Structure formats: C-alpha cells, structure tokens
Amino acid sequence: MYSRWKYRKPSPKYLIAYNKITKDRYLPTGPELTQSAQLFDISGEKMQMILDFPTIGEPHYAQAAPADLIRNNGQLKIYPIGDNKHPRVAKGESESKVVREDNKVHVYMTAVRSHFAPDNIEGIRMGDEVYFHVTNLEQDWDVPHGFGIKGANNAELLIMPGETTTLKWVPDRVGMFPMYCTDFCSALHQEMQGYVRVSPAGSKTPLTYHVGKQAPAEKPAQ
Ligand SMILES: [Cu+2]
C-alpha cells in the first residue's frame, strides 16, 4: 500500500507545461484554438518532452498520480447484483413489473444489452406520477446504461452495472412517449428503447406492460 504522504510530495521526475497560445499548432477550426499541454521528463541531464496534447478550456491546474495508485487500490469495476439492496430492484427480467399504488406507478425495469424490460407500457393516466426504477443487469466492466423519457423535466439516469436508480416522471399530456437508453452501450444501443402510452385522467385503460413486439401479456390491471 502507498502512504498518502508519499504522494503529497512533488515528483522530481516530471514537469507539465500548460500553454495558452497554440497558434500554428492545430488545424485552424475557428477564432479560438484549443489550448495545449506538454509533459516533460526532467529526470535526466536535459529535459525531454514525452507527451504533447490538446486540453479543454483554459489550462490552470494539474495533478498527477502514479498509475499504480489507482490500479492497485480497490478499483471498482461493477456493483455485484447479488448485493443490490435497493428496495425496488429487479434482479432479473422475470422480476420486472409495473405496480400501481394509487396515483403512483412504480416501474421495476431492467436494462441489459440491448433492451429494457418492460419496454412497452400502457395504462398510465394523466395525474399519475411514474417512478422508473431501472436496474442495470450487466455484470461487466464499462457497460453503464442510461435512461431517458421524452418530456421528463429533470434529467436522465446513468446506471452503473449492478445498480438501480430512479427517475420520476410526471406526464403533462396524453400521448405516446418514447423512452430510450442515453449511454452508448453496444452496436445495438439504438434498439434500447420503448414506449409509454399516457391516457386521459379517469381512463379505464388497464395497466399492461410487455417486452418487444409480442402481444401484451395477460397481466391483470392493478
Ligand atoms: Cu444501453
């Protein structure tokens, strides 16, 4: 293990230069050019540039850490799905469901390459509050999924492998609303989508939900 103290000390090996002016360095793409940075090895007799790269915005501060400090210290790659204690988790597609509690509708949804379950929901009514509890079933590194629904006034979700997060959505009009994955997850990312139908207040449209194109499962209205 590394002691923290060790890495509070400046390294005598490297120097970084942040450079405001980059004229003639990069392709002329507009009135402003990107800023640049350069990393030097200063361990020898003569300093040597070992990396020369563009940076975003005005460069001011930098901190460097040895790669091993990150690599060897409990790097988190996934959240084990078995340890997920979220009260509205769906640990598999068979646990996905939509449950009405008065005017609150809880969608227990799963995301895995490359679909949501359920991905088609009917029976939401004006006046409802819809809570999408989306569980990312992936147990592989670097496969987050996103979730967004058209008309949501807050944000989207970004769900790490094994995690469950919730988006609240209050429909403001009757109609069909697409929902979709908002984080590129595979070549079939664009297929991670579905629809929610919102009916008028007081409508008798039963709450149904299913995956894909098959006929709605015979699930009783709740
Ligand atoms: Cu996705």
Side-chain angles (χ1 to χ4, degrees), residues 111-116 138 143-146 181-186 189 192:
V112 72
R113 284 163 289 174
S114 292
H115 62 279
F116 292 111
E138 308 280 354
V143 196
H145 289 292
C181 179
T182 53
D183 193 76
F184 188 89
C185 50
S186 81
H189 161 67
M192 288 195 74

Side-chain angles (χ1 to χ4, degrees), residues 69-132:
L69 189 64
I70 295 163
R71 204 183 281 133
N72 301 341
N73 279 281
Q75 189 176 30
L76 183 67
K77 296 186 174 178
I78 59 160
Y79 293 94
I81 190 87
D83 296 348
N84 187 323
K85 299 273 191 300
H86 193 287
R88 312 248 187 202
V89 64
K91 292 192 178 180
E93 265 177 42
S94 60
E95 294 181 16
S96 67
K97 59 186 174 181
V98 184
V99 178
R100 174 177 288 285
E101 294 168 8
D102 299 320
N103 75 321
K104 293 184 170 54
V105 177
H106 293 280
V107 181
Y108 296 69
M109 183 180 274
T110 59
V112 72
R113 284 163 289 174
S114 292
H115 62 279
F116 292 111
D119 62 9
N120 286 296
I121 301 168
E122 293 202 55
I124 306 294
R125 301 190 289 250
M126 285 299 294
D128 284 347
E129 291 173 3
V130 185
Y131 295 84
F132 295 96

Side-chain angles (χ1 to χ4, degrees), residues 100 103 123-130 169-175 177 197-203:
R100 174 177 288 285
N103 75 321
I124 306 294
R125 301 190 289 250
M126 285 299 294
D128 284 347
E129 291 173 3
V130 185
W169 175 56
V170 181
D172 63 356
R173 72 201 115 102
V174 165
F177 294 84
R197 184 199 295 275
V198 176
S199 301
S203 155

Side-chain angles (χ1 to χ4, degrees), residues 18 32-37 53-61:
Y18 272 160
E32 170 150 87
L33 291 167
T34 185
Q35 322 297 330
S36 85
F53 56 100
T55 66
I56 297 166
E58 284 227 9
H60 285 281
Y61 304 104

